[in-house]
Amino acid sequence: MNWLGSLQQFGRAIMLPTMVLPAAAILLSVGGLPWGTWGLPMVSEVATIAGQSIFHYLPFIFAIGVALGLANQEGPAGLAAFAGMALYDYVVKHFSDALLQPSTLIGIIIGVIAGAAYRRFKNVRLPEAIQFFGGSRFVLLFMGLFSSVFACLMLWLAPILQELLNGLTWVLSTMGGFGLFLYGALYRILSAFGLHHLLNNIVWFQIGSFEAHGDIVQGDLPRFFSGDPTAGIYMAGLYPVMMFALPAAALAIIQEAREDLKPKVRKTFMRAALVCFLTGVSEQIEFAFLFASPGLFILHIILSGLAMWITYALDIHHGFSYSAGVIDYVLNYHLSTNAWLLIPIGLVYAVIYYNVFRYAIRTFRIPTPGREEASTLGDWVGNIPYQAPLILQALGGKENVVQVEACITRLRLTVVNDRLLDGKALKELGSAGLIKLGGGNVQIVFGTYSELIREEIRKLMDRDLSHVKFCAPVQGKMIPLSEVPDQIFAGKLVGEGVAFVPDSGELVSPVAGTIIHLYPTMHALGIRTVDGLEILLHIGIDTSQQKGCFEAHVAAGDVVEAGQLLIKFDLDTLQKNAPSLATPMVITNPDRVKSWSYAPFKQVKKGQGTVMSVVMYDKNGGEEKA
């Protein structure tokens, strides 16, 4: 793994522990309600203390979360990080009169060491007499010894680190609004590579100190929730962009879509705009124009930086536990300063983004979604378990995938060969963008469903199932079998599968196999795969009487490859005389199939893969192959 891939994994790992912060924000918000006037003062006290406890134990949360993120969610790594952090905390409190800082940074360091130690020592073998301490148990032993030495070093090293952070805080404060502009711009640049969490961790959890309730809290985010009136300047400027600007850009993309594709684009991007407005998750919108128009993304970078500068100049302080969406805006409003100004600023930004994006898309013919034929994840999100095999195939197959992880909006993968990735197929399956970082490290943006997709891909990789993948037998439009104007096929009395409406006169084999039957009129034939699947291809509906329209290029008993020409047919004559050109491709022994996956129903090219994929049972009683 190269350095950029390592940063990618580290960025994902330090994001994991922040998922607990919304709970703290909700509890503190509940605690701020006037429970005393309602005769329930205990509720306010309990909720406030519970919320503050999360920030008190934030170093422990970061240590455990980072270790789990770096060790592929393995429990012993998280336990080792907790043990290391507990040992460190007890030692420094015993030997130091003051609280040692930076605490959150120390949690991250211990989490990194625990994660790395687990990956390095989880399979270690010791002499038989002491092998009880081998394997993953050795990681706990190692972290206990390491943390004791590390705590002693930090007794004199931590003040030095704190001085460095204080110096960084001073530099940023002297830069004023320009420093906020640089942060906002750099945040957007790094977000394209999924590395913005590295920058945010420094600013949100390391910069600045504030004493609250006997604890020293650090970083813009914990200080904001602890009542520091100077905190919140590194988060306030994100609200106008997340709540207003990017949803307006999504509306512009919808408006500039082709009329025939606009319903599909509207469904997808209205959902993306709502997600961005509510939660501040913006990648699906940003990736819609990141690759299509780098110029628009550069403008987005500049305007994002200006939003930070403007909120700083107007002395606006606001923060969030998760991201800059309206939920956090309302939830944490009671802790903010001048936050009402974010609404007019956001409305101005919405007008700018909407008009600039519409003008640029139309004038420069930017191929944003809906300007060209494309599919979206929204079309089949309910069938993720059945579509995952197609995604895995587009990734080059399970043999090409070394590791698959996910953050909020993207898959983060390490692959053997990134040239085997089918970017076009991934786009058709709902991907908003594909980023190759080098060294086999890639990111694929699937929006907020990325975690579900990762789980399904992992299930496929953990099982050795027999897959059969089908390419398109004709050039034309792929349609569901239920749309075939024939009750026998539409009712699935012959078998299960899909159908195509051809726009050229050639039928090719969708799979490798043997021709088991060729009808005398040559309008249909049967193929058997090596796995025992039997496939019927039937050109058009009620075409058996159309003599002279078909020319076979194979015979019964021939062995064929996927994509090999089977039959040529007179498309024009069939169009005039046949009730329908719908060409079913059905599996006539569907009892052999455990699950089915279909690509989006749209235009396909002859031989294009994969339009359908099935997972088979074995031949003995329907159990999966293993």
Side-chain angles (χ1 to χ4, degrees), residues 38 140 263 624:
W38 299 338
L140 289 165
E624 294 177 25

Side-chain angles (χ1 to χ4, degrees), residues 43-350:
V43 175
S44 177
E45 187 177 354
V46 170
T48 301
I49 292 176
Q52 291 170 352
S53 68
I54 292 178
F55 290 103
H56 177 80
Y57 288 103
L58 205 57
F60 287 82
I61 295 170
F62 265 93
I64 297 169
V66 169
L68 290 173
L70 293 177
N72 200 22
Q73 313 301 319
E74 294 291 342
L79 181 59
F82 174 79
M85 193 67 204
L87 192 151
Y88 165 84
D89 184 60
Y90 195 82
V91 169
V92 297
K93 284 183 177 179
H94 182 79
F95 288 102
S96 176
D97 295 332
L99 291 172
L100 285 184
Q101 304 171 54
S103 56
T104 305
L105 178 59
I106 290 172
I108 293 173
I109 292 173
I110 289 180
V112 169
I113 298 299
Y118 179 81
R119 295 171 66 174
R120 175 64 179 84
F121 299 126
K122 63 181 179 180
N123 296 317
V124 69
R125 291 189 177 184
L126 300 176
E128 185 175 354
I130 56 173
Q131 177 55 30
F132 174 81
F133 297 103
S136 60
R137 291 182 291 272
F138 182 80
V139 181
L140 289 165
L141 176 63
F142 171 83
M143 284 305 298
L145 298 175
F146 168 82
S147 293
S148 60
V149 176
F150 179 68
C152 294
L153 290 175
M154 290 305 293
L155 288 173
W156 64 270
L157 186 59
I160 299 175
L161 290 177
Q162 185 58 47
E163 286 301 317
L164 292 175
L165 285 176
N166 290 340
L168 180 58
T169 303
W170 179 83
V171 170
L172 291 175
S173 65
T174 57
M175 294 178 71
F178 182 68
L180 271 294
F181 170 83
L182 291 179
Y183 163 71
L186 188 58
Y187 174 96
R188 289 298 166 199
I189 294 171
L190 292 177
S191 67
F193 302 96
L195 301 176
H196 51 299
H197 302 300
L198 300 175
L199 173 66
N200 291 339
N201 187 269
I202 295 173
V203 174
W204 293 350
F205 296 101
Q206 312 299 334
I207 297 298
S209 299
F210 180 70
E211 185 172 355
H213 315 291
D215 291 329
I216 300 296
V217 292
Q218 292 182 288
D220 202 46
L221 192 151
R223 289 190 293 113
F224 175 79
F225 283 100
S226 297
D228 186 351
T230 66
I233 61 173
Y234 289 98
M235 295 178 282
L238 296 174
Y239 278 105
V241 177
M242 301 298 199
M243 286 173 54
F244 296 96
L246 286 171
L251 182 59
I253 291 172
I254 294 170
Q255 294 297 100
E256 291 301 319
R258 280 171 24 192
E259 288 301 321
D260 58 324
L261 298 177
K262 189 171 288 187
K264 181 187 294 185
V265 174
R266 181 184 295 112
K267 179 180 178 182
T268 299
F269 278 87
M270 285 301 291
R271 182 188 297 113
L274 183 62
V275 168
C276 190
F277 176 73
L278 291 176
T279 68
V281 176
S282 61
E283 276 91 338
Q284 191 167 5
I285 300 174
E286 289 178 301
F287 275 82
F289 61 88
L290 170 60
F291 296 107
S293 176
L296 268 182
F297 193 75
I298 291 173
L299 178 63
H300 175 49
I301 291 170
I302 296 171
L303 289 175
S304 296
L306 285 175
M308 300 294 297
W309 198 335
I310 291 170
T311 55
Y312 175 81
L314 295 176
D315 193 32
I316 301 173
H317 298 256
H318 204 353
F320 47 76
S321 60
Y322 178 67
S323 189
V326 71
I327 295 176
D328 261 301
Y329 178 84
V330 173
L331 199 62
N332 308 315
Y333 188 85
H334 65 289
L335 298 172
S336 66
T337 304
N338 296 327
W340 67 271
L341 289 170
L342 294 173
I343 302 300
I345 294 172
L347 292 173
V348 171
Y349 259 67

